[in-house]
């Protein structure tokens, strides 16, 4: 059989394996699942398509899914986030992976398509941002005769549409067959979860989905403490700029915004925040950040970071007003938070991979990171292993839940039960020397819980 992977350089596998070995020591949740389920193999028979940043941490996730009995094929969910040595190690280990750092948009959708091509067809999706789910559902609608994206609004839409057409021509009926075979999806991130709830509202979600993002041990850790480490890491690796004393603006103060503001503050920057939600604005103010309008600070700040999951947050009129050499980047899932498309007819000078200097009409230049795609994965290596272990332990539990109990679920979007959330946290305590106090029976009765937990009601917000 011809080689069933696309990676930059398979010779990087040995380096990848060494980093994987180190990551395993920092991913106690995933390793505990291997110990707990390695013999019973609850994922036997599952053929999982993964569409999630192909990093070292994801490699540990993939090998955990395989250890639990799954067949896996993988693509990255972002054109800049792949760590080529991680992809090489996975390919060398025999799991088909299709991901290269710096792949084109056309390749992105082609690789996603390749990750669906199990000899017997895929039956599960593990998604980050919703691209794999979108691909199958849009394709099935196209096969049903719908004009899915009549006029593509972006390069992204053009690329997905072209790939759907190609697959329809190659294998008529493939999308519908694949959609009907999928038992369910587990979704990693805020933006993908928005897409799922939206699909469900429109009656277009045909299978159950587990919202991994809203496990407490995901969004209140990865989105927050992960970005706290990886945002400044990305800016530093890209620019080597001195952050202490600089004025940084963080757009959005949700979980990612909170981590990002803390990251910049930790580096000594003077941080300002923009928000649309009065609750998050009040939180930012009471955490000590000045809450401002972007328009009022756009000419004086040095660093701008979008964290909103929304579109058109930093617009062309803002970038025109920025000081010379202002740094502009995004850590939200998609690249439309900054109006990068409107910069296309400006003069671009590439400094190095994923760092561009763009000249504005005034003569001022801005430094744009990762062409507006998430900079912590484009310019650095994403979140550290320990926090990703918590996220990915939820992912594996979600895959087991859907694969083994899928029939108990109707199509819709679900969250893992709180006892599993608490289990994920518990699995990460020993590694960092946390000693947990045990409730006495009378104390448990007094606050209305059991000694083993769950310790909080569903409405508790952490
Ligand atoms: P969130 O919903 O908690 O926070 C987003 C915040 O942005 C909200 O508070 C909202 O009110 C605010 N916002 C929306 N439009 C705005 C505007 N025009 N101006 C200012 N503020 C605005 O979402 P979360 O979990 O913080 O995720 C944000 C994005 O980051 C999503 O796209 C998510 O998928 C992505 N993400 C990226 C990660 C990474 O490693 N790069 C990790 C986790 C999530």
């Amino acid at each position: 059989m011809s080689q069933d992977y696309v990676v930059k350089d398979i010779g990087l596998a040995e380096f990848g394996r060494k980093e994987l070995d180190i990551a395993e020591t920092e991913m106690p949740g995933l390793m505990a699942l291997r110990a707990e389920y390695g013999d019973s193999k609850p994922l036997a028979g599952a053929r999982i398509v993964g569409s999630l940043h192909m990093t070292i941490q994801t490699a540990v996730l993939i090998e955990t899914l395989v250890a639990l009995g799954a067949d896996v094929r993988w693509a990255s969910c972002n054109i800049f986030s792949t760590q080529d040595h991680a992809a090489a190690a996975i390919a060398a280990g025999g799991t088909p992976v299709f991901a290269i750092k710096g792949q084109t948009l056309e390749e992105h959708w082609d690789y996603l398509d390749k990750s669906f091509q199990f000899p017997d067809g895929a039956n599960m999706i593990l998604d980050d941002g919703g691209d794999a789910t979108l691909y199958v559902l849009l394709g099935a609608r196209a096969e049903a005769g719908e004009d899915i994206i009549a006029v593509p609004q972006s390069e992204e839409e053009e690329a997905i549409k072209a790939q759907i057409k190609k697959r329809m021509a190659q294998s008529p009926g493939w999308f519908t067959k694949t959609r009907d075979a999928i038992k369910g999806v587990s979704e990693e991130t805020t933006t993908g979860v928005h897409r799922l709830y939206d699909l469900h509202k429109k009656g277009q979600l045909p299978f159950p989905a587990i919202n991994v993002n809203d496990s407490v041990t995901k969004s209140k850790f990865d989105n927050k403490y992960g970005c706290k480490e990886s945002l400044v890491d990305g800016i530093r690796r890209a620019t080597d700029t001195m952050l202490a004393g600089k004025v940084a603006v963080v757009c959005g103060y949700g979980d990612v915004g909170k981590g990002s503001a803390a990251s910049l503050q930790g580096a000594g920057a003077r941080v300002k925040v923009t928000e649309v939600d009065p609750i998050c604005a009040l939180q930012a103010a009471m955490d000590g950040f000045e809450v401002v309008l972007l328009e009022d600070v756009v000419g004086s700040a040095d660093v701008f970071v979008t964290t909103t999951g929304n579109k058109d947050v930093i617009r062309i009129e803002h970038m025109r007003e920025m000081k010379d050499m202002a740094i502009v980047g995004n850590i939200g899932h998609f690249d439309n938070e900054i109006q990068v498309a409107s910069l296309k007819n400006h003069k671009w000078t590439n400094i190095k991979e994923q760092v561009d200097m763009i000249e504005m009409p005034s003569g001022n230049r801005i430094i744009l990171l990762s062409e507006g795609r998430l900079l912590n994965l484009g310019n650095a290596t994403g979140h550290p292993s320990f926090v990703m272990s918590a996220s990915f332990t939820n992912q594996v539990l979600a895959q087991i839940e859907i694969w083994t109990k899928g029939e108990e679920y109707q199509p819709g979007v679900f969250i893992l039960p709180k006892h599993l959330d608490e289990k994920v946290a518990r699995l990460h305590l020993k590694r960092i020397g946390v000693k947990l106090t045990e409730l006495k029976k009378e104390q448990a009765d007094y606050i209305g819980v059991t000694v083993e937990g769950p310790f909080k009601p569903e409405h508790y917000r952490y």
Side-chain angles (χ1 to χ4, degrees):
M1 193 179 139
S2 65
Q3 112 187 0
D4 196 12
Y5 60 78
V6 179
V7 300
K8 175 128 189 229
D9 175 5
I10 196 72
L12 295 170
E14 199 184 326
F15 173 35
R17 179 56 53 189
K18 286 180 191 154
E19 290 226 313
L20 254 152
D21 289 344
I22 296 174
E24 285 182 0
T25 68
E26 280 281 285
M27 303 189 86
L30 290 180
M31 300 315 280
L33 292 186
R34 288 190 199 179
E36 185 177 347
Y37 294 112
D39 289 338
S40 60
K41 304 221 179 302
L43 291 175
R47 295 186 294 277
I48 304 170
V49 177
S51 168
L52 193 152
H53 310 289
M54 185 55 250
T55 63
I56 288 289
Q57 293 71 32
T58 301
V60 182
L61 165 64
I62 292 171
E63 294 194 338
T64 305
L65 294 168
V66 171
L68 270 54
D71 260 342
V72 178
R73 295 173 71 87
W74 213 267
S76 188
C77 60
N78 181 285
I79 60 173
F80 291 140
S81 65
T82 297
Q83 291 162 20
D84 292 313
H85 62 323
I90 288 302
T95 297
V97 51
F98 308 91
I100 294 179
K101 187 176 180 76
Q103 65 201 27
T104 64
L105 269 181
E106 290 66 37
E107 286 163 345
H108 173 80
W109 291 103
D110 176 43
Y111 295 169
L112 182 62
D113 178 81
K114 285 185 164 58
S115 70
F116 271 96
Q117 306 307 323
F118 288 87
D120 297 324
N123 53 24
M124 294 284 287
I125 294 175
L126 191 158
D127 227 349
D128 181 346
D131 280 358
T133 307
L134 180 75
Y135 182 56
V136 175
L137 297 187
L138 264 187
R141 284 169 54 196
E143 283 177 352
E146 234 180 284
D147 195 2
I148 42 159
I149 316 172
V151 187
Q153 299 290 315
S154 62
E155 283 177 19
E156 186 86 25
E157 282 186 7
E158 223 170 289
I160 183 174
K161 191 175 179 182
Q163 179 58 46
I164 287 174
K165 274 191 178 156
K166 207 162 109 190
R167 173 52 60 199
M168 283 170 72
Q170 270 169 10
S171 8
W174 180 86
F175 284 104
T176 310
K177 203 170 113 205
T178 303
R179 179 199 61 193
D180 294 346
I182 297 292
K183 283 189 87 172
V185 53
S186 59
E187 168 56 53
E188 174 80 2
T189 200
T190 318
T191 288
V193 162
H194 283 166
R195 278 182 169 181
L196 286 172
Y197 283 109
D198 191 45
L199 281 169
H200 184 52
K201 210 165 83 192
K202 292 181 183 147
Q204 292 173 355
L205 185 67
F207 35 68
I210 293 192
N211 164 359
V212 167
N213 183 67
D214 287 293
S215 286
V216 180
T217 47
K218 200 286 184 179
S219 51
K220 298 294 169 187
F221 289 82
D222 164 329
N223 304 26
K224 184 180 170 188
Y225 302 111
C227 291
K228 189 172 172 191
E229 305 240 350
S230 64
L231 173 71
V232 158
D233 187 18
I235 297 173
R236 287 200 201 287
R237 292 200 208 193
T239 65
D240 295 313
T241 202
M242 179 87 179
L243 285 166
K246 297 274 168 60
V247 175
V249 181
V250 174
C251 301
Y253 202 69
D255 292 319
V256 169
K258 289 178 175 74
S260 299
S263 185
L264 289 157
Q265 187 182 45
R270 289 174 286 156
V271 182
K272 303 187 183 198
V273 168
T274 73
E275 249 299 342
V276 295
D277 178 336
I279 296 176
C280 298
L282 189 61
Q283 284 180 314
M286 294 183 71
D287 284 340
F289 299 112
E290 196 181 338
V291 183
V292 296
L293 297 179
L294 186 54
E295 289 68 25
D296 293 343
V297 291
V298 78
S300 56
D302 305 284
V303 180
F304 298 86
V305 180
T306 51
T307 76
T308 68
N310 203 345
K311 63 174 188 168
D312 300 330
V313 175
I314 295 186
R315 297 185 291 278
I316 184 70
E317 64 264 28
H318 299 130
M319 291 183 277
R320 285 204 182 112
E321 296 298 313
M322 287 178 185
K323 321 205 263 215
D324 193 32
M325 299 305 275
I327 295 168
V328 184
N330 162 53
I331 194 168
H333 190 78
F334 283 122
D335 63 341
N336 53 354
E337 300 207 23
I338 302 167
Q339 282 184 343
V340 176
S342 61
L343 294 170
K344 288 293 173 207
N345 55 356
H346 293 57
K347 182 178 168 212
W348 287 52
T349 306
N350 182 252
I351 309 297
K352 61 180 182 183
E353 278 188 0
Q354 285 84 54
V355 183
D356 293 285
M357 186 168 70
I358 301 159
E359 196 172 315
M360 307 308 291
S362 66
N364 281 356
R365 295 150 301 170
I366 62 170
I367 300 286
L368 179 67
L369 307 184
S370 288
E371 297 177 24
R373 295 169 196 274
L374 25 78
L375 75 93
N376 59 331
L377 281 139
N379 297 91
T381 50
H383 301 344
S385 301
F386 188 72
V387 85
M388 294 315 296
S389 177
S391 302
F392 289 165
T393 303
N394 281 294
Q395 277 287 4
V396 175
L397 292 172
Q399 287 286 318
I400 295 175
E401 183 73 10
I402 299 172
W403 180 245
T404 58
K405 299 197 197 133
E407 308 71 39
E408 297 172 22
Y409 288 85
Q410 294 295 312
V413 190
F414 305 90
I415 295 176
L416 285 174
K418 193 170 285 295
H419 73 92
L420 291 181
D421 218 348
E422 290 181 357
K423 172 177 174 167
V424 173
R426 209 180 272 281
L427 291 174
H428 291 85
L429 300 181
K430 191 164 150 229
R431 178 74 182 83
I432 52 173
V434 172
K435 293 199 173 119
L436 200 61
T437 303
E438 253 190 55
L439 274 177
K440 307 227 176 318
K441 172 81 173 68
E442 308 77 67
Q443 291 179 311
D445 291 346
Y446 186 68
I447 59 171
V449 301
T450 58
V451 172
E452 310 76 45
F455 298 97
K456 298 286 193 296
E458 282 308 320
H459 57 258
Y460 187 78
R461 293 198 171 89
Y462 296 87

